Short mmCIF file of all heavy atoms in Angstrom, two decimals:
data_model
loop_
_atom_site.label_atom_id
_atom_site.label_comp_id
_atom_site.label_asym_id
_atom_site.label_seq_id
_atom_site.Cartn_x
_atom_site.Cartn_y
_atom_site.Cartn_z
N ALA C 29 -3.65 14.78 1.37
CA ALA C 29 -4.45 15.80 2.04
C ALA C 29 -3.59 16.98 2.42
O ALA C 29 -2.36 16.88 2.57
CB ALA C 29 -5.12 15.21 3.29
N HIS C 30 -4.25 18.15 2.55
CA HIS C 30 -3.59 19.38 2.96
C HIS C 30 -4.26 19.89 4.23
O HIS C 30 -5.50 19.85 4.34
CB HIS C 30 -3.68 20.43 1.86
CG HIS C 30 -2.93 20.07 0.62
ND1 HIS C 30 -3.39 19.14 -0.28
CD2 HIS C 30 -1.74 20.52 0.14
CE1 HIS C 30 -2.52 19.02 -1.28
NE2 HIS C 30 -1.52 19.85 -1.05
N CYS C 31 -3.45 20.36 5.17
CA CYS C 31 -4.00 20.76 6.46
C CYS C 31 -3.28 22.00 6.98
O CYS C 31 -2.09 22.24 6.69
CB CYS C 31 -3.83 19.61 7.46
SG CYS C 31 -4.50 19.94 9.11
N ASP C 32 -4.01 22.80 7.74
CA ASP C 32 -3.43 23.98 8.38
C ASP C 32 -4.32 24.35 9.57
O ASP C 32 -5.52 24.06 9.56
CB ASP C 32 -3.35 25.16 7.40
CG ASP C 32 -2.41 26.26 7.89
OD1 ASP C 32 -2.80 27.02 8.80
OD2 ASP C 32 -1.28 26.33 7.38
N ARG C 33 -3.70 24.97 10.56
CA ARG C 33 -4.48 25.42 11.71
C ARG C 33 -5.47 26.51 11.30
O ARG C 33 -6.52 26.69 11.91
CB ARG C 33 -3.53 25.94 12.80
CG ARG C 33 -4.15 26.03 14.18
CD ARG C 33 -3.06 26.29 15.21
NE ARG C 33 -3.59 26.32 16.56
CZ ARG C 33 -2.85 26.44 17.65
NH1 ARG C 33 -1.53 26.52 17.53
NH2 ARG C 33 -3.40 26.46 18.85
N ASN C 34 -5.10 27.25 10.24
CA ASN C 34 -5.96 28.28 9.69
C ASN C 34 -6.99 27.63 8.76
O ASN C 34 -6.66 27.22 7.65
CB ASN C 34 -5.12 29.31 8.93
CG ASN C 34 -5.95 30.47 8.39
OD1 ASN C 34 -7.16 30.37 8.23
ND2 ASN C 34 -5.28 31.58 8.11
N ALA C 35 -8.21 27.54 9.20
CA ALA C 35 -9.26 26.85 8.43
C ALA C 35 -9.53 27.50 7.09
O ALA C 35 -9.95 26.82 6.14
CB ALA C 35 -10.54 26.79 9.25
N GLU C 36 -9.29 28.80 6.97
CA GLU C 36 -9.53 29.50 5.70
C GLU C 36 -8.58 29.02 4.62
O GLU C 36 -8.96 28.91 3.45
CB GLU C 36 -9.41 31.01 5.90
CG GLU C 36 -10.50 31.62 6.78
CD GLU C 36 -11.89 31.35 6.22
OE1 GLU C 36 -12.10 31.56 5.00
OE2 GLU C 36 -12.76 30.91 7.00
N LEU C 37 -7.31 28.73 4.99
CA LEU C 37 -6.36 28.22 4.01
C LEU C 37 -6.75 26.83 3.54
O LEU C 37 -6.59 26.49 2.37
CB LEU C 37 -4.95 28.19 4.63
CG LEU C 37 -4.30 29.53 4.94
CD1 LEU C 37 -2.93 29.32 5.59
CD2 LEU C 37 -4.15 30.37 3.68
N VAL C 38 -7.30 26.02 4.43
CA VAL C 38 -7.69 24.65 4.11
C VAL C 38 -8.77 24.62 3.05
O VAL C 38 -8.80 23.72 2.18
CB VAL C 38 -8.16 23.93 5.39
CG1 VAL C 38 -8.81 22.59 5.07
CG2 VAL C 38 -7.00 23.75 6.36
N LYS C 39 -9.67 25.60 3.07
CA LYS C 39 -10.81 25.62 2.15
C LYS C 39 -10.38 25.73 0.69
O LYS C 39 -11.15 25.42 -0.21
CB LYS C 39 -11.74 26.79 2.50
CG LYS C 39 -12.46 26.63 3.82
CD LYS C 39 -13.33 27.86 4.11
CE LYS C 39 -14.03 27.72 5.45
NZ LYS C 39 -14.84 28.94 5.76
N GLU C 40 -9.15 26.15 0.45
CA GLU C 40 -8.68 26.33 -0.93
C GLU C 40 -8.31 25.00 -1.59
O GLU C 40 -8.03 24.96 -2.78
CB GLU C 40 -7.46 27.26 -0.94
CG GLU C 40 -7.76 28.67 -0.42
CD GLU C 40 -6.51 29.54 -0.40
OE1 GLU C 40 -5.52 29.16 -1.07
OE2 GLU C 40 -6.53 30.60 0.26
N TYR C 41 -8.34 23.90 -0.83
CA TYR C 41 -7.91 22.61 -1.36
C TYR C 41 -9.06 21.61 -1.31
O TYR C 41 -9.73 21.48 -0.29
CB TYR C 41 -6.71 22.08 -0.56
CG TYR C 41 -5.51 22.97 -0.66
CD1 TYR C 41 -5.38 24.08 0.17
CD2 TYR C 41 -4.53 22.74 -1.63
CE1 TYR C 41 -4.29 24.93 0.05
CE2 TYR C 41 -3.44 23.58 -1.75
CZ TYR C 41 -3.33 24.68 -0.91
OH TYR C 41 -2.25 25.52 -1.04
N SER C 42 -9.25 20.90 -2.40
CA SER C 42 -10.34 19.92 -2.47
C SER C 42 -10.14 18.80 -1.46
O SER C 42 -11.11 18.18 -1.00
CB SER C 42 -10.43 19.33 -3.89
OG SER C 42 -9.22 18.69 -4.26
N ASP C 43 -8.87 18.52 -1.12
CA ASP C 43 -8.58 17.48 -0.14
C ASP C 43 -8.20 18.09 1.22
O ASP C 43 -7.58 17.44 2.05
CB ASP C 43 -7.46 16.55 -0.63
CG ASP C 43 -6.16 17.31 -0.92
OD1 ASP C 43 -6.09 18.53 -0.66
OD2 ASP C 43 -5.20 16.68 -1.40
N GLY C 44 -8.57 19.34 1.42
CA GLY C 44 -8.22 20.03 2.66
C GLY C 44 -8.94 19.46 3.87
O GLY C 44 -10.13 19.12 3.80
N ILE C 45 -8.21 19.33 4.97
CA ILE C 45 -8.80 18.89 6.23
C ILE C 45 -8.39 19.85 7.34
O ILE C 45 -7.30 20.44 7.30
CB ILE C 45 -8.39 17.45 6.61
CG1 ILE C 45 -6.87 17.33 6.76
CG2 ILE C 45 -8.91 16.44 5.59
CD1 ILE C 45 -6.39 15.98 7.27
N THR C 46 -9.23 20.02 8.33
CA THR C 46 -8.90 20.90 9.44
C THR C 46 -7.93 20.19 10.39
O THR C 46 -7.76 18.97 10.34
CB THR C 46 -10.15 21.30 10.22
OG1 THR C 46 -10.70 20.12 10.85
CG2 THR C 46 -11.19 21.95 9.32
N ALA C 47 -7.30 20.99 11.26
CA ALA C 47 -6.38 20.41 12.24
C ALA C 47 -7.10 19.42 13.14
O ALA C 47 -6.57 18.35 13.47
CB ALA C 47 -5.73 21.52 13.05
N ALA C 48 -8.33 19.75 13.51
CA ALA C 48 -9.11 18.86 14.36
C ALA C 48 -9.37 17.53 13.66
O ALA C 48 -9.29 16.45 14.27
CB ALA C 48 -10.43 19.51 14.76
N GLU C 49 -9.68 17.58 12.37
CA GLU C 49 -9.91 16.35 11.60
C GLU C 49 -8.64 15.52 11.50
O GLU C 49 -8.69 14.28 11.57
CB GLU C 49 -10.42 16.71 10.20
CG GLU C 49 -11.84 17.26 10.19
CD GLU C 49 -12.26 17.79 8.84
OE1 GLU C 49 -11.38 18.28 8.09
OE2 GLU C 49 -13.46 17.73 8.53
N LEU C 50 -7.51 16.19 11.35
CA LEU C 50 -6.24 15.48 11.30
C LEU C 50 -6.01 14.72 12.61
O LEU C 50 -5.63 13.54 12.60
CB LEU C 50 -5.09 16.47 11.06
CG LEU C 50 -3.67 15.89 11.15
CD1 LEU C 50 -3.47 14.81 10.08
CD2 LEU C 50 -2.63 16.99 10.98
N GLY C 51 -6.25 15.39 13.73
CA GLY C 51 -6.06 14.74 15.02
C GLY C 51 -6.97 13.54 15.21
O GLY C 51 -6.55 12.49 15.73
N ARG C 52 -8.23 13.68 14.79
CA ARG C 52 -9.19 12.59 14.97
C ARG C 52 -8.89 11.39 14.08
O ARG C 52 -9.19 10.25 14.43
CB ARG C 52 -10.62 13.09 14.69
CG ARG C 52 -11.18 13.99 15.76
CD ARG C 52 -12.69 14.13 15.58
NE ARG C 52 -13.06 14.68 14.28
CZ ARG C 52 -13.24 15.97 14.03
NH1 ARG C 52 -13.07 16.86 15.02
NH2 ARG C 52 -13.58 16.40 12.84
N ASN C 53 -8.32 11.68 12.89
CA ASN C 53 -8.16 10.62 11.89
C ASN C 53 -6.70 10.28 11.59
O ASN C 53 -6.39 9.76 10.52
CB ASN C 53 -8.85 11.04 10.59
CG ASN C 53 -10.33 11.29 10.79
OD1 ASN C 53 -11.07 10.39 11.17
ND2 ASN C 53 -10.76 12.52 10.54
N ILE C 54 -5.81 10.53 12.54
CA ILE C 54 -4.39 10.34 12.28
C ILE C 54 -4.04 8.90 11.92
O ILE C 54 -3.07 8.65 11.18
CB ILE C 54 -3.54 10.81 13.50
CG1 ILE C 54 -2.06 10.80 13.15
CG2 ILE C 54 -3.84 9.97 14.73
CD1 ILE C 54 -1.67 11.66 11.97
N ASP C 55 -4.83 7.94 12.37
CA ASP C 55 -4.56 6.54 12.03
C ASP C 55 -4.70 6.27 10.53
O ASP C 55 -4.21 5.24 10.03
CB ASP C 55 -5.50 5.60 12.80
CG ASP C 55 -5.18 5.55 14.29
OD1 ASP C 55 -4.06 5.98 14.66
OD2 ASP C 55 -6.04 5.11 15.07
N ASN C 56 -5.36 7.17 9.82
CA ASN C 56 -5.56 6.99 8.38
C ASN C 56 -4.35 7.45 7.56
O ASN C 56 -4.33 7.28 6.33
CB ASN C 56 -6.79 7.76 7.90
CG ASN C 56 -8.07 7.22 8.51
OD1 ASN C 56 -8.14 6.05 8.90
ND2 ASN C 56 -9.10 8.07 8.60
N TYR C 57 -3.36 8.05 8.23
CA TYR C 57 -2.22 8.63 7.52
C TYR C 57 -0.91 8.08 8.07
O TYR C 57 -0.79 7.75 9.26
CB TYR C 57 -2.23 10.16 7.65
CG TYR C 57 -3.54 10.77 7.20
CD1 TYR C 57 -4.45 11.26 8.13
CD2 TYR C 57 -3.87 10.83 5.85
CE1 TYR C 57 -5.66 11.81 7.72
CE2 TYR C 57 -5.08 11.38 5.44
CZ TYR C 57 -5.96 11.87 6.38
OH TYR C 57 -7.17 12.41 5.97
N ASP C 58 0.08 8.00 7.18
CA ASP C 58 1.39 7.46 7.58
C ASP C 58 2.34 8.56 8.05
O ASP C 58 3.18 8.30 8.92
CB ASP C 58 2.02 6.72 6.39
CG ASP C 58 1.15 5.57 5.92
OD1 ASP C 58 0.94 4.64 6.71
OD2 ASP C 58 0.67 5.63 4.78
N GLU C 59 2.23 9.74 7.44
CA GLU C 59 3.13 10.83 7.79
C GLU C 59 2.41 12.17 7.78
O GLU C 59 1.50 12.38 6.98
CB GLU C 59 4.31 10.93 6.81
CG GLU C 59 5.33 9.83 6.90
CD GLU C 59 6.50 10.05 5.96
OE1 GLU C 59 6.57 11.12 5.32
OE2 GLU C 59 7.34 9.14 5.84
N VAL C 60 2.84 13.06 8.66
CA VAL C 60 2.43 14.45 8.62
C VAL C 60 3.67 15.25 8.22
O VAL C 60 4.63 15.33 8.98
CB VAL C 60 1.90 14.94 9.98
CG1 VAL C 60 1.54 16.42 9.92
CG2 VAL C 60 0.69 14.11 10.40
N MET C 61 3.67 15.75 6.99
CA MET C 61 4.81 16.49 6.48
C MET C 61 4.66 17.96 6.83
O MET C 61 3.79 18.66 6.29
CB MET C 61 4.92 16.32 4.95
CG MET C 61 6.06 17.09 4.33
SD MET C 61 7.66 16.66 5.03
CE MET C 61 7.71 14.91 4.72
N VAL C 62 5.47 18.45 7.74
CA VAL C 62 5.34 19.82 8.26
C VAL C 62 6.08 20.80 7.35
O VAL C 62 7.28 20.66 7.11
CB VAL C 62 5.89 19.92 9.69
CG1 VAL C 62 5.83 21.36 10.19
CG2 VAL C 62 5.08 19.00 10.62
N THR C 63 5.36 21.79 6.86
CA THR C 63 5.96 22.88 6.09
C THR C 63 5.65 24.18 6.82
O THR C 63 4.97 25.07 6.31
CB THR C 63 5.41 22.91 4.65
OG1 THR C 63 3.98 22.96 4.70
CG2 THR C 63 5.84 21.68 3.88
N ALA C 64 6.15 24.25 8.04
CA ALA C 64 5.98 25.42 8.90
C ALA C 64 7.13 25.39 9.90
O ALA C 64 7.90 24.43 9.94
CB ALA C 64 4.63 25.38 9.62
N THR C 65 7.26 26.44 10.71
CA THR C 65 8.35 26.48 11.68
C THR C 65 8.15 25.39 12.72
O THR C 65 7.22 25.44 13.53
CB THR C 65 8.40 27.86 12.37
OG1 THR C 65 8.54 28.87 11.37
CG2 THR C 65 9.58 27.95 13.33
N MET C 66 9.05 24.41 12.71
CA MET C 66 8.84 23.21 13.51
C MET C 66 8.74 23.49 15.01
O MET C 66 7.89 22.93 15.70
CB MET C 66 9.95 22.20 13.24
CG MET C 66 9.81 20.91 14.02
SD MET C 66 8.22 20.04 13.76
CE MET C 66 8.54 19.24 12.20
N ILE C 67 9.60 24.35 15.55
CA ILE C 67 9.57 24.54 17.00
C ILE C 67 8.30 25.27 17.44
O ILE C 67 7.98 25.28 18.63
CB ILE C 67 10.82 25.26 17.53
CG1 ILE C 67 10.95 26.67 16.94
CG2 ILE C 67 12.06 24.43 17.27
CD1 ILE C 67 12.05 27.48 17.61
N LYS C 68 7.58 25.88 16.49
CA LYS C 68 6.31 26.50 16.84
C LYS C 68 5.16 25.51 16.78
O LYS C 68 4.24 25.56 17.60
CB LYS C 68 6.02 27.68 15.92
CG LYS C 68 6.89 28.91 16.18
CD LYS C 68 6.43 30.08 15.33
CE LYS C 68 7.23 31.34 15.67
NZ LYS C 68 6.80 32.50 14.87
N VAL C 69 5.18 24.61 15.81
CA VAL C 69 4.03 23.71 15.62
C VAL C 69 4.18 22.37 16.31
O VAL C 69 3.19 21.68 16.54
CB VAL C 69 3.74 23.49 14.11
CG1 VAL C 69 3.51 24.82 13.41
CG2 VAL C 69 4.84 22.71 13.43
N LEU C 70 5.40 21.98 16.65
CA LEU C 70 5.60 20.66 17.25
C LEU C 70 4.80 20.45 18.54
O LEU C 70 4.15 19.41 18.69
CB LEU C 70 7.10 20.43 17.51
CG LEU C 70 7.51 19.02 17.98
CD1 LEU C 70 7.07 17.96 16.98
CD2 LEU C 70 9.02 18.95 18.20
N PRO C 71 4.80 21.41 19.48
CA PRO C 71 3.99 21.21 20.69
C PRO C 71 2.50 21.04 20.38
O PRO C 71 1.81 20.23 21.00
CB PRO C 71 4.24 22.47 21.51
CG PRO C 71 5.54 23.01 21.00
CD PRO C 71 5.56 22.67 19.54
N TYR C 72 2.01 21.81 19.41
CA TYR C 72 0.60 21.74 19.04
C TYR C 72 0.26 20.37 18.45
O TYR C 72 -0.74 19.73 18.82
CB TYR C 72 0.28 22.84 18.03
CG TYR C 72 -1.13 22.82 17.50
CD1 TYR C 72 -2.21 23.15 18.31
CD2 TYR C 72 -1.38 22.47 16.18
CE1 TYR C 72 -3.51 23.13 17.82
CE2 TYR C 72 -2.67 22.45 15.67
CZ TYR C 72 -3.73 22.78 16.50
OH TYR C 72 -5.02 22.76 16.00
N LEU C 73 1.10 19.89 17.54
CA LEU C 73 0.84 18.61 16.91
C LEU C 73 0.89 17.46 17.91
O LEU C 73 0.04 16.57 17.90
CB LEU C 73 1.86 18.36 15.79
CG LEU C 73 1.82 19.31 14.60
CD1 LEU C 73 2.95 19.01 13.63
CD2 LEU C 73 0.47 19.23 13.88
N LYS C 74 1.88 17.51 18.81
CA LYS C 74 2.06 16.41 19.76
C LYS C 74 1.05 16.44 20.90
O LYS C 74 0.45 15.42 21.25
CB LYS C 74 3.47 16.46 20.34
CG LYS C 74 4.56 16.03 19.38
CD LYS C 74 5.94 16.22 20.00
CE LYS C 74 6.10 15.46 21.29
NZ LYS C 74 7.46 15.61 21.86
#
Side-chain angles (χ1 to χ4, degrees):
H30 294 76
C31 181
D32 196 284
R33 198 169 183 175
N34 183 339
E36 293 302 312
L37 292 178
V38 170
K39 292 178 181 178
E40 298 178 16
Y41 297 84
S42 59
D43 59 5
I45 60 174
T46 66
E49 289 172 330
L50 173 61
R52 287 195 301 268
N53 300 299
I54 188 58
D55 290 343
N56 295 335
Y57 306 106
D58 300 297
E59 289 184 7
V60 177
M61 178 57 58
V62 176
T63 54
T65 303
M66 180 57 79
I67 62 171
K68 287 187 176 181
V69 304
L70 187 57
Y72 176 70
L73 295 176
K74 287 176 58 178

